[in-house]
Amino acid sequence: MNTFGNILRLTTFGESHGAAMGGVVDGFPAGISIDIPSLQAEVARRRPGQGALTTARRESDEVEILSGIFEGRTTGTPLAFIVRNEDHRSADYEALRHVLRPSHADYTYLAKYGIRDHRGGGRASARETLCRVVGGALARQALKLHGITVRAYTSQVGTVAVERPYQELDLSRTYESDVRCPDDVAANRMREAIEAARREGDTIGGVATCIVSGCPAGLGEPVAGKLNAALAAAMMSINAAKGFEVGDGFAMAAKKGSEMNDAFVPASDDARGLRTLTNHSGGIQGGISNGEDIVMRVAFKPVPTLLSEQTTTTDAGTPIRYAAHGRHDPCVLPRAVPVVEAMAALTILDYYLLNAASRM
Amino acid sequence: MNTFGNILRLTTFGESHGAAMGGVVDGFPAGISIDIPSLQAEVARRRPGQGALTTARRESDEVEILSGIFEGRTTGTPLAFIVRNEDHRSADYEALRHVLRPSHADYTYLAKYGIRDHRGGGRASARETLCRVVGGALARQALKLHGITVRAYTSQVGTVAVERPYQELDLSRTYESDVRCPDDVAANRMREAIEAARREGDTIGGVATCIVSGCPAGLGEPVAGKLNAALAAAMMSINAAKGFEVGDGFAMAAKKGSEMNDAFVPASDDARGLRTLTNHSGGIQGGISNGEDIVMRVAFKPVPTLLSEQTTTTDAGTPIRYAAHGRHDPCVLPRAVPVVEAMAALTILDYYLLNAASRM
Amino acid sequence: MNTFGNILRLTTFGESHGAAMGGVVDGFPAGISIDIPSLQAEVARRRPGQGALTTARRESDEVEILSGIFEGRTTGTPLAFIVRNEDHRSADYEALRHVLRPSHADYTYLAKYGIRDHRGGGRASARETLCRVVGGALARQALKLHGITVRAYTSQVGTVAVERPYQELDLSRTYESDVRCPDDVAANRMREAIEAARREGDTIGGVATCIVSGCPAGLGEPVAGKLNAALAAAMMSINAAKGFEVGDGFAMAAKKGSEMNDAFVPASDDARGLRTLTNHSGGIQGGISNGEDIVMRVAFKPVPTLLSEQTTTTDAGTPIRYAAHGRHDPCVLPRAVPVVEAMAALTILDYYLLNAASRM
Amino acid sequence: MNTFGNILRLTTFGESHGAAMGGVVDGFPAGISIDIPSLQAEVARRRPGQGALTTARRESDEVEILSGIFEGRTTGTPLAFIVRNEDHRSADYEALRHVLRPSHADYTYLAKYGIRDHRGGGRASARETLCRVVGGALARQALKLHGITVRAYTSQVGTVAVERPYQELDLSRTYESDVRCPDDVAANRMREAIEAARREGDTIGGVATCIVSGCPAGLGEPVAGKLNAALAAAMMSINAAKGFEVGDGFAMAAKKGSEMNDAFVPASDDARGLRTLTNHSGGIQGGISNGEDIVMRVAFKPVPTLLSEQTTTTDAGTPIRYAAHGRHDPCVLPRAVPVVEAMAALTILDYYLLNAASRM
C-alpha cells in the first residue's frame, strides 16, 4: 500500500538499489505553474553527501518529470517523476543477504513477503522518502498560492533541545544549518552530540517540530478523517518515526483543563473575527483546523545501523555478530526535516481539496 | 469522512442528542459466532454513570444489531447496530447555541460546515466513541479466535504514572478499577488526582497504554499503510487524543542506537524460530509487526469542559464568560481505555485481513 | 463491500428478513434543507404492493432518519436511516434452506461465505435497493438546487419497446404509469406482456432508460474514474442488471464515424458558448460530461423466481424440482426505475463534489 | 483519478506526446516469477504500426521495469514501469491547438481543467491503454498459476459479427489474425469492412467478447463491489467503449425467465459438485462468480478521427472545417482486444485477492 492521500494522492515506488525511485502525484490541481529548479533545490535538502553529518552516498538525485505538466503548468493529469539510482554497488551487500539487522525491517519484510531485496534496505530504505520530498515540493508550490507555508526544524537531538518557542526562531534560516536547526546555540550542541555518537560508532535520536502557518479554519474530516489523525499517519509513516504529538501533546497529560484551554478572543484584524489567546491545541480542535498555527512534533529513534559490533541472528535463526560498514547517518534528523515538511504539505493540500468537496 | 479501515470498515453515525448513535461494520469475516452479551458488557465499560469518576448521564446503551448475523453467526454482510439516545434534554443546551466553548469543536464545526448541532457537542461528542466500542468488541471476538488479545489501561493521570512495566501488571484486573488502572497504588493516587480536579471545578489529563499480544509477524502495509501509521491515525481520531507513541516513543529521541536496538535471538520454542531480546521498537519494525507485543501510548488532554468560569466569545465574536453545568467527566481516561482497545482491535483485524490479501 | 461513492458515500445494510434495512450517507453537503415528505414519497415509488404488477408484500417502508439533520438542514455529518422489516414470515422460507434456486445468488453467497441467510434472498434481495432510493432521494434534493434533474423510465419490456425518442415523451408523467413508462401506447402493451408472463407462471425482462439533464460540463475523473465507468458500475450493481450503455451504446458498433460524430456548433444562448448538434455520445466524451443530456440504458434480465416448476439441485448437489410460491414480481422494471434514478443521482452528486476538489 | 483496483492497484500516467507513459502496480502478490519477454510480447500486441489495419506510428514500446522485482521474482513492493514516447512530433499538432474535434475529449478536458495538452490527444490518447496492457500482462502471469485464463477477441466489426459461440472457436489463434478474430470467415469480412471504411476516410465500430475461464466461485463483493459492476467500470474506462454486457446481456431484456434461468445440475467431476446447465448469467450471479466461464461483451464506437472533412468549432466557439491527417486507426477493435483482456485480468486478480481478505 504505497499511496498517500485521498484527493491528492502520492504513490511512491523504488528500492534503494533498484533502477530508480519515483512517484506519481495524482489529483494535483490544474493550471498551477511549477517551478522546477525550486523543486530540485528542495530535493537537494535531503540529499546524502552534503555535509559532515550525513552519509557519503553520491547521487545527483536529479528529478525527471515524465507527465502532467504542459507548457510549464499542471494539467490535472498525473505528475510522474523518477530519480535514477546511480550509486548502487549491490555486491557490497552480499554479506547481508541472510543477516537480520537489529531494529531494521529485514525480518519483518521477510516474514510478510517471504522474499526481500537485501541491498541497502530495499524498499525499507530511507531513500524512499526522496519521493515524498518531490511530492511535498509540488504541494508546497500550490499551498503557497493560498498563503499556506510549512516549515520544520530539528528541535531535539539526544538530550539537546531547543528551549525557545518557535515564534522566537527565524525559521527561514533552518536550511543554513547542517543539523537543520535555526537556533545557533542549540545547533552547535546538536552537532557535537551527533559527532560524539559517530565517533563511538553509535547513533542518536531526536525530534522534529513542524509548523503550518496560514492554514484556513475548516480543514479536517471528522470523525475518521480528523486532521490530526491524518497528520499522525503521515508522520508515523516516515522511517524511524516512533512518536507524534500535536499542540502541547504528551505534556497535556500532566495538566489541568484550566491551564490548557484556548480561550477565544475577538480579533477585528483577523478574517475570522476572532482568534485564540493561546494555542495549546496546536491549531486543531475536534479534528478540524481552527486557523491558528498547526504545531506538531515527531520523535525519531536513533538510526539502527551501527558501526560498532552487535549480536543478532541470520534468517535461519543462527546467532552472529555483525557491524555495518561504509556510509551511514549517525542521526536521521538533518534529513528527516524536509521529509516532515513534505508529509505535512501533502496532507494539508489533500485536506484543502477535500474541504472544497464538502460544499456545493 | 466517518469510515475507519480498509477491508474491515466501521462507519459510525449519530449526534449526542439526535435520535440514535450507531454504526455499520463491513468486511467482517463470515461464519464467526458472536457472543452478544459479551459485546454488551464491553459497551457497558465506557458507559457514563457507573462510578464516582464519570458523569451521571443515564443511558442504558443497549445495542440493537440490525443485520449481518444469522442464527448466531456472521454472514459476511454488513453488521449494523444502533443505540438509542434516551437522555436528550435538548432544551438544556439552548443557552449554548451561540457560545464557542474554549478548546471544544464548536468553532471549527461552524467554520467548516456553516451550521452546527450545539446540543451536547453534536457529532463531536465523546458519545460517538460508543460506536467504536461496539465495532471493537466485534473485532476482538474475531481476533480472539486467532489468539490475539488487546488490552489497555490508564498508565498516567496528571503527574501520577504507573512506574511498573506492563509485564508486571495483571491486565485482566483493569476493569475492576474505576480509573481503569490495574496497579492499585497508582490507581488510588490517580483517583485522588481526579477528585481533586473535580473539587476545583477543573479537569485533568492522562495517558493510556495499550498492548496487543499474540499478533503474528507480517501485519502492516508499507510504506503508506505502515502498521504504526494506521494505529496512530486510529488513536489520534479519539476525542481529546493529542499524542501517540509506539515502543519507547519520544524517549527514543534522547537515546543512542546501541541502547535502543532490539537484537534477534534464537527461540526454538517460538513458531518464528527467533524473537527479540528487548522490545524498544514496540513490536513494529519497518511498519510491519514482528511478532512481539505491540506497545502503544496515547496522550489525552484534560477535558475542556470546566465547571469554573472561563472567558471566551460567542460565534459573533462577542466576549462572554461561561461555566459548564451538570454532568461532565473530570478526566477522560477511565472512559478512553475501552475506546483505545476498540481502535486497536479494529486496526489489527483490518491489517490481519489485508495481509491475507497480499498472498495468492 | 457495501459502500458506493468517493466523496458522497452511501453504505447500505440489511437483509430481506432481518430486523431492518438501512444506510448511512456520508459526505453530503452541509446546510441543505431536506424535504422529508418528498423523500418518503420517492421511497413509496419502489414499494411493493402498490399495483397489479408488483408483489403483495405489505411494508409501510417508513424511513426513520437517525442523524445528520438539525433543525431541518444537513449538518455535514453522516445521515443514517433505517426502515424496519415488518413482514418477515421467516418460517415460510424453511423449505428453501437447502435449495439452490436457478440464477439466484443462493449458490454464490454460499460458495463465498460458507453460510447464507436463506430467508427471502437475505442480503441479495432486491429489498436492499430501497436503501439506495433513500440515498438517491437525498442526492436529488441537492442536485435540484443546482438545476440538475435525473429521470428514468421503462423503455422496453420483453419485445415491446418505446419507439419515440425521450425528447418527445413527458417524463414528468412516468410515475403515473404502473409500468413506469410515460408513453401510453407502449405502456399498455408492456402491461399486457407482463400480465401474460405472470399468467404463465413466468417472468419477463426489460430495459430502463435514464436521462440526466442540466449536468454541467466537467464531471468525470479520467482515466480510472471516467463518468461513464462510474455510472456503469452503479447501474450494474442493481439486482438483475445485465447490460449498460451510454449514448447510442451497442448500436454504435455497427456504425461509421461519420454517422456518429457529434459536431460542435456555436450556441450564444448557452453558458458554454457552444453545444453539440447531435448527442450520440450520450453527454460524455473522454469520460467527462460535456453539458449535453447524459443518456443511459440498463438491461434487466427476467426475474429468476418462477411460479412454474424448475429443476435444480440442493446445496448438497442433489437434483430436485422446485416452484416458487406467494408474492413475486413478474417483471423487475416497474420497481427498477426509481433505483436507476437513485444510482444516477448518487453518482452525479459524488462526481459534482469530486470535481469541486479538483480546483484550488 | 488514475488508479484502478482495490487490493491490486494500477496507477497509470503519461500523455501521448510527453516524455513517457508508465504505471505503478501496487499490491501484487510477492514471490511470483515474472517472465519479462512474455510481458513484452503481450505489449507488442497492441502496438501501432504492425499491420495494414493499424496506424503507422513507430514506437518500439519497450517496457522498462523500475522496481518491485528482485532476482526475477516479485517482492510485494510496487512494480513501476515506463515506456518512452519516441515518436513525438509535437509541432505537427500546432494546428489543432484550438480545434475542438468532434466526439473527442478536447472540449471536456478543457471544460474541466481549463488547460489541455492538445498534442495527440494528450492524456485522453488511446496510447494510455498501453500501460494497462503492461499491468494486465503481470496480472495474467499471477492468474495463470491458479489456472485462470483471460481471452478476448473481436466478435463484431460494423455489421459483421461472429455467428459461432465462443466454445466453437480456437481462442488460442486470436492473435494470428490482424483483426484479432479467430473465426477466419468473419475475420476476412471484418477486414474488408475496415478497409472499406478507411478508403472512404471513415471509421467503423465493433464489439469485443471476453471470456474468463477457470475462475473459482466466490469472487465479487456485493453489493457495491459486485464483480459485474467492477468489470463494467473496468471496461467502460477503455477509450471509445460505449456499452457493456455480461452473459446474454441486453438480449435478456426480451426474454422470459423460463428461457434464461441457469439450472444447477450435479457434476461429480467438478470440484464444486455441481455446475449450471446453461450460462445465460455469464458466470456471475448476485454479483459473485459461480465458477462457470465469465462472459462479457464490450461495444466500441467508431474512432472519431476522420480523414474526411467535418464541421466543428474552435475553443472560442468559432465554426471551422477540419480533417485529420496522417496516421489513424480506422477501427479500434484490433488494438482494443488486448486492452479488454488486460482490464479483465486486473479486475479478476484484484477480486481474487479481495476474496482472500474476506476470510480468517
Side-chain angles (χ1 to χ4, degrees):
Chain A
M1 205 190 291
N2 293 275
T3 300
F4 299 93
N6 298 277
I7 294 291
L8 180 78
R9 289 175 297 273
L10 168 66
T11 301
T12 75
F13 60 82
E15 284 82 38
S16 174
H17 287 62
M21 316 301 298
V24 185
V25 179
D26 198 5
F28 199 86
I32 293 183
S33 295
I34 298 299
D35 178 347
I36 303 284
S38 159
L39 182 151
Q40 189 68 52
E42 279 207 50
V43 170
R45 288 173 173 177
R46 76 155 289 294
R47 191 155 54 87
Q50 59 190 329
L53 301 181
T54 54
T55 67
R57 179 166 171 165
R58 296 284 157 215
E59 301 275 11
S60 63
D61 284 354
E62 191 168 306
V63 179
E64 183 188 9
I65 293 185
L66 300 174
S67 64
I69 296 181
F70 178 61
E71 301 182 343
R73 288 194 299 149
T74 58
T75 59
T77 64
L79 288 115
F81 59 88
I82 57 171
V83 178
R84 295 277 171 187
N85 291 324
E86 300 165 0
D87 182 22
H88 38 100
R89 292 170 296 183
S90 303
D92 290 6
Y93 291 92
E94 195 53 36
L96 288 174
R97 185 182 279 267
H98 296 291
V99 174
L100 300 184
R101 293 171 296 163
S103 291
H104 278 83
D106 298 343
Y107 171 67
T108 53
Y109 269 67
L110 192 59
K112 181 176 189 70
Y113 300 114
I115 180 177
R116 73 186 176 92
D117 181 346
H118 64 277
R119 301 165 304 163
R123 179 72 182 149
S125 166
R127 186 160 170 76
E128 181 271 330
T129 59
L130 161 62
C131 306
R132 311 196 195 184
V133 174
V134 177
L138 289 165
R140 291 172 85 167
Q141 297 197 13
L143 290 173
K144 197 179 172 185
L145 299 174
H146 292 263
I148 304 171
T149 58
V150 177
R151 291 162 305 176
Y153 62 97
T154 302
S155 54
Q156 183 183 330
V157 168
T159 55
V160 182
V162 175
E163 302 294 341
R164 290 191 289 165
Y166 76 88
Q167 293 91 338
E168 295 178 17
L169 304 175
D170 179 358
L171 298 182
S172 69
R173 294 187 52 229
T174 294
Y175 287 99
E176 294 172 15
S177 150
D178 57 359
V179 287
R180 308 317 192 192
C181 174
D183 177 320
D184 292 341
V185 176
N188 285 336
R189 295 181 52 220
M190 288 172 177
R191 191 177 303 106
E192 286 165 20
I194 296 173
E195 286 174 351
R198 182 208 290 270
R199 278 192 301 272
E200 298 159 15
D202 212 335
T203 63
I204 193 163
V207 175
T209 294
C210 182
I211 316 294
V212 181
S213 301
C215 184
L219 308 196
E221 304 290 328
V223 296
K226 288 184 176 180
L227 187 56
N228 40 328
L231 288 165
M235 296 305 167
M236 291 300 286
S237 76
I238 302 174
N239 304 42
K242 300 300 282 187
F244 172 83
E245 58 185 11
V246 63
D248 287 5
F250 274 89
M252 296 176 99
K255 298 287 186 177
K256 299 283 176 63
S258 56
E259 298 169 295
M260 289 290 104
N261 274 3
D262 297 317
F264 290 99
V265 290
S268 57
D269 58 337
D270 188 288
R272 294 169 290 164
L274 51 76
R275 45 164 313 193
T276 63
L277 198 58
T278 51
N279 188 20
H280 301 295
S281 300
I284 302 176
Q285 286 165 335
I288 302 172
S289 64
N290 68 358
E292 303 294 319
D293 281 358
I294 297 172
V295 185
M296 302 164 270
R297 283 161 37 92
V298 187
F300 292 92
K301 70 175 182 178
V303 176
T305 309
L306 310 185
L307 299 181
S308 56
E309 205 173 64
Q310 306 174 73
T311 59
T312 190
T313 72
T314 66
D315 52 23
T318 311
I320 52 165
R321 295 191 65 78
Y322 140 86
H325 300 286
R327 56 195 186 199
H328 295 288
D329 287 348
C331 180
V332 80
L333 267 295
R335 281 163 63 180
V337 163
V339 183
V340 165
E341 288 182 344
M343 295 312 295
L346 287 163
T347 305
I348 296 294
L349 180 54
D350 184 33
Y351 275 75
Y352 190 100
L353 296 169
L354 268 173
N355 194 40
S358 68
R359 297 176 224 127
M360 282 196 86
Chain B
M1 204 190 292
N2 292 277
T3 300
F4 299 92
N6 298 277
I7 294 292
L8 180 77
R9 289 174 296 274
L10 168 66
T11 301
T12 75
F13 60 82
E15 285 81 38
S16 174
H17 287 64
M21 315 302 298
V24 185
V25 178
D26 199 5
F28 198 87
I32 294 184
S33 294
I34 298 298
D35 178 346
I36 304 284
S38 159
L39 182 151
Q40 189 68 51
E42 278 206 51
V43 171
R45 288 174 173 176
R46 76 156 289 292
R47 191 155 54 87
Q50 59 190 327
L53 300 181
T54 53
T55 68
R57 179 167 172 166
R58 295 283 157 216
E59 301 275 9
S60 62
D61 284 355
E62 191 168 308
V63 179
E64 183 188 8
I65 293 185
L66 300 174
S67 64
I69 296 182
F70 177 62
E71 301 182 342
R73 289 194 299 147
T74 58
T75 60
T77 64
L79 289 115
F81 58 89
I82 57 171
V83 178
R84 295 277 171 186
N85 292 324
E86 301 165 359
D87 182 22
H88 38 100
R89 293 170 296 185
S90 302
D92 291 7
Y93 291 92
E94 195 54 35
L96 288 174
R97 186 181 279 268
H98 296 290
V99 175
L100 300 184
R101 292 170 298 163
S103 290
H104 277 83
D106 299 342
Y107 171 67
T108 52
Y109 269 66
L110 192 60
K112 182 176 189 69
Y113 300 114
I115 179 176
R116 75 185 175 94
D117 180 346
H118 63 277
R119 301 166 304 163
R123 178 73 181 148
S125 165
R127 186 159 170 77
E128 181 271 329
T129 58
L130 162 61
C131 306
R132 311 196 195 184
V133 174
V134 177
L138 290 165
R140 292 171 85 165
Q141 296 196 13
L143 290 172
K144 197 178 172 186
L145 299 174
H146 292 262
I148 304 172
T149 59
V150 177
R151 291 164 304 176
Y153 62 98
T154 303
S155 54
Q156 184 182 331
V157 168
T159 55
V160 182
V162 176
E163 302 295 339
R164 289 190 290 165
Y166 75 87
Q167 293 91 339
E168 296 179 15
L169 305 175
D170 179 357
L171 297 182
S172 69
R173 293 188 52 231
T174 295
Y175 287 99
E176 296 172 14
S177 150
D178 56 359
V179 289
R180 309 315 193 193
C181 174
D183 178 319
D184 292 340
V185 176
N188 286 335
R189 293 181 54 222
M190 288 172 177
R191 190 177 305 105
E192 285 164 21
I194 296 174
E195 286 173 351
R198 182 208 289 273
R199 278 192 302 272
E200 297 160 16
D202 212 335
T203 62
I204 194 162
V207 175
T209 293
C210 182
I211 316 294
V212 181
S213 300
C215 184
L219 308 197
E221 304 291 326
V223 295
K226 288 184 176 178
L227 186 57
N228 41 328
L231 288 166
M235 296 304 168
M236 291 300 286
S237 76
I238 302 174
N239 302 45
K242 301 300 283 187
F244 172 84
E245 57 185 10
V246 63
D248 287 5
F250 274 88
M252 296 176 100
K255 300 286 187 178
K256 299 284 176 62
S258 57
E259 299 169 295
M260 289 290 104
N261 274 2
D262 296 318
F264 290 99
V265 289
S268 56
D269 58 339
D270 188 288
R272 295 170 289 163
L274 50 74
R275 43 164 314 192
T276 63
L277 199 57
T278 50
N279 189 20
H280 302 295
S281 299
I284 302 176
Q285 285 165 335
I288 302 173
S289 64
N290 67 358
E292 302 293 320
D293 281 355
I294 297 174
V295 185
M296 304 164 269
R297 283 163 34 92
V298 187
F300 292 92
K301 71 175 183 180
V303 176
T305 308
L306 309 185
L307 298 180
S308 56
E309 205 173 62
Q310 304 174 75
T311 59
T312 190
T313 72
T314 66
D315 52 22
T318 310
I320 50 166
R321 296 190 66 79
Y322 140 85
H325 300 286
R327 57 197 186 195
H328 295 288
D329 286 348
C331 180
V332 79
L333 267 294
R335 281 163 62 181
V337 163
V339 183
V340 165
E341 288 182 345
M343 295 311 296
L346 287 163
T347 306
I348 296 295
L349 180 54
D350 185 33
Y351 275 75
Y352 190 101
L353 296 170
L354 269 173
N355 194 41
S358 69
R359 296 175 225 128
M360 282 195 86
Chain C
M1 206 190 291
N2 293 276
T3 300
F4 299 93
N6 298 277
I7 294 291
L8 182 77
R9 289 175 296 273
L10 169 65
T11 301
T12 75
F13 59 82
E15 284 82 38
S16 175
H17 287 63
M21 314 302 296
V24 185
V25 179
D26 198 6
F28 199 86
I32 293 183
S33 295
I34 297 300
D35 179 346
I36 303 283
S38 159
L39 181 152
Q40 188 69 52
E42 279 206 51
V43 169
R45 290 174 172 176
R46 76 157 288 292
R47 193 154 54 87
Q50 59 190 327
L53 301 180
T54 53
T55 67
R57 178 166 171 165
R58 297 283 158 214
E59 300 275 10
S60 63
D61 284 356
E62 190 169 306
V63 180
E64 183 188 7
I65 293 186
L66 300 174
S67 63
I69 296 182
F70 177 61
E71 300 182 342
R73 289 195 298 151
T74 58
T75 59
T77 64
L79 287 115
F81 58 89
I82 58 172
V83 178
R84 294 278 170 185
N85 291 325
E86 300 165 359
D87 183 24
H88 38 100
R89 293 171 295 183
S90 303
D92 290 6
Y93 291 92
E94 194 53 35
L96 289 173
R97 185 182 279 268
H98 296 290
V99 174
L100 300 183
R101 293 171 297 163
S103 290
H104 278 83
D106 298 343
Y107 170 66
T108 52
Y109 269 67
L110 192 59
K112 182 176 187 71
Y113 300 114
I115 179 176
R116 74 185 175 95
D117 180 347
H118 63 277
R119 301 165 305 163
R123 179 70 183 151
S125 166
R127 186 159 170 75
E128 181 271 330
T129 59
L130 162 61
C131 307
R132 311 195 196 186
V133 174
V134 177
L138 290 165
R140 291 172 85 167
Q141 296 197 13
L143 290 172
K144 197 179 173 187
L145 300 174
H146 292 263
I148 305 172
T149 58
V150 177
R151 291 163 304 176
Y153 62 97
T154 302
S155 53
Q156 184 183 328
V157 168
T159 55
V160 182
V162 176
E163 302 295 340
R164 290 190 290 165
Y166 76 87
Q167 294 90 339
E168 296 178 16
L169 305 175
D170 180 357
L171 298 182
S172 69
R173 293 188 51 230
T174 295
Y175 287 99
E176 295 171 14
S177 150
D178 56 359
V179 288
R180 309 314 194 194
C181 173
D183 178 319
D184 292 340
V185 177
N188 286 335
R189 295 180 53 222
M190 289 171 177
R191 191 177 305 106
E192 286 163 21
I194 296 173
E195 285 172 352
R198 183 209 290 272
R199 279 191 301 272
E200 298 159 17
D202 212 334
T203 62
I204 193 162
V207 175
T209 294
C210 182
I211 316 294
V212 182
S213 301
C215 184
L219 308 197
E221 304 290 328
V223 295
K226 287 185 177 178
L227 186 57
N228 40 328
L231 288 166
M235 296 306 168
M236 292 300 286
S237 76
I238 301 174
N239 303 46
K242 300 301 282 187
F244 172 84
E245 58 185 10
V246 64
D248 287 4
F250 273 89
M252 296 176 98
K255 300 285 187 179
K256 299 283 177 62
S258 57
E259 299 169 294
M260 288 290 105
N261 273 2
D262 298 317
F264 290 98
V265 290
S268 57
D269 58 338
D270 189 288
R272 295 169 290 164
L274 50 76
R275 45 164 313 192
T276 64
L277 199 56
T278 50
N279 188 21
H280 301 294
S281 299
I284 302 176
Q285 286 165 335
I288 302 173
S289 64
N290 67 358
E292 302 294 319
D293 281 357
I294 296 173
V295 185
M296 303 163 269
R297 283 164 36 91
V298 187
F300 291 91
K301 70 174 184 181
V303 175
T305 309
L306 309 185
L307 298 181
S308 56
E309 204 174 62
Q310 304 173 77
T311 58
T312 190
T313 72
T314 66
D315 51 21
T318 310
I320 52 167
R321 295 191 65 79
Y322 139 85
H325 300 288
R327 56 196 187 200
H328 295 286
D329 287 348
C331 180
V332 80
L333 267 295
R335 281 162 63 179
V337 163
V339 183
V340 165
E341 288 183 345
M343 294 312 295
L346 287 163
T347 306
I348 296 295
L349 180 54
D350 185 32
Y351 276 75
Y352 190 101
L353 296 170
L354 269 173
N355 194 40
S358 69
R359 296 175 225 129
M360 282 196 85
Chain D
M1 205 190 291
N2 293 277
T3 300
F4 299 93
N6 297 277
I7 294 291
L8 181 77
R9 289 175 297 273
L10 168 65
T11 301
T12 76
F13 60 82
E15 284 83 37
S16 175
H17 286 64
M21 315 301 297
V24 184
V25 179
D26 198 6
F28 198 87
I32 293 182
S33 294
I34 298 299
D35 178 345
I36 303 284
S38 160
L39 181 151
Q40 188 69 52
E42 279 207 49
V43 170
R45 289 175 173 175
R46 76 156 287 294
R47 192 155 54 87
Q50 59 190 328
L53 301 181
T54 54
T55 67
R57 180 167 172 163
R58 295 283 158 216
E59 300 275 10
S60 63
D61 285 353
E62 190 169 307
V63 179
E64 182 189 7
I65 293 185
L66 301 174
S67 63
I69 296 182
F70 176 62
E71 299 182 344
R73 288 195 298 149
T74 58
T75 59
T77 64
L79 287 115
F81 58 89
I82 58 172
V83 178
R84 295 277 171 187
N85 292 324
E86 299 165 1
D87 183 22
H88 39 100
R89 294 169 295 183
S90 303
D92 290 7
Y93 291 92
E94 194 54 34
L96 288 174
R97 185 182 280 267
H98 296 290
V99 175
L100 300 183
R101 293 171 298 162
S103 290
H104 278 83
D106 298 343
Y107 170 66
T108 52
Y109 269 67
L110 192 59
K112 182 177 188 71
Y113 300 114
I115 179 176
R116 74 184 176 95
D117 180 346
H118 63 276
R119 300 166 306 164
R123 179 71 183 149
S125 166
R127 186 160 170 74
E128 181 271 331
T129 59
L130 161 61
C131 306
R132 310 195 196 185
V133 174
V134 177
L138 289 165
R140 291 171 85 166
Q141 297 197 10
L143 291 173
K144 198 178 172 186
L145 299 174
H146 292 262
I148 304 172
T149 59
V150 177
R151 291 163 305 176
Y153 62 97
T154 302
S155 53
Q156 184 183 330
V157 167
T159 55
V160 182
V162 176
E163 302 294 340
R164 290 192 289 166
Y166 75 88
Q167 293 91 338
E168 296 178 15
L169 304 175
D170 179 358
L171 298 182
S172 69
R173 293 188 52 231
T174 294
Y175 287 99
E176 295 172 15
S177 150
D178 57 359
V179 289
R180 308 316 194 194
C181 174
D183 178 319
D184 291 342
V185 177
N188 286 336
R189 295 181 52 222
M190 288 172 178
R191 191 177 304 105
E192 285 164 22
I194 295 173
E195 284 173 353
R198 183 209 290 272
R199 279 192 299 273
E200 298 159 16
D202 212 335
T203 62
I204 194 162
V207 175
T209 294
C210 183
I211 315 294
V212 181
S213 301
C215 184
L219 308 197
E221 304 289 328
V223 296
K226 287 184 177 179
L227 186 57
N228 41 329
L231 288 165
M235 296 306 168
M236 292 300 286
S237 76
I238 301 174
N239 303 43
K242 301 301 282 187
F244 171 84
E245 58 185 10
V246 63
D248 287 4
F250 274 89
M252 296 176 99
K255 299 286 187 177
K256 299 284 176 62
S258 56
E259 299 170 294
M260 288 290 105
N261 273 2
D262 297 318
F264 290 98
V265 290
S268 57
D269 59 337
D270 188 288
R272 294 170 289 164
L274 50 77
R275 45 163 313 192
T276 65
L277 199 56
T278 51
N279 188 20
H280 301 294
S281 300
I284 302 176
Q285 286 164 334
I288 302 173
S289 64
N290 68 358
E292 302 295 318
D293 280 357
I294 297 173
V295 185
M296 303 163 270
R297 283 164 35 92
V298 188
F300 292 92
K301 70 174 183 180
V303 176
T305 309
L306 310 185
L307 298 180
S308 56
E309 204 173 63
Q310 305 173 75
T311 59
T312 192
T313 71
T314 66
D315 52 22
T318 309
I320 52 168
R321 294 191 66 80
Y322 140 86
H325 300 286
R327 58 194 185 200
H328 296 287
D329 287 348
C331 180
V332 79
L333 266 295
R335 281 163 62 180
V337 163
V339 183
V340 166
E341 287 182 345
M343 294 311 295
L346 287 163
T347 306
I348 296 294
L349 180 54
D350 186 31
Y351 276 75
Y352 190 101
L353 296 170
L354 269 173
N355 194 41
S358 69
R359 298 176 226 128
M360 282 197 85

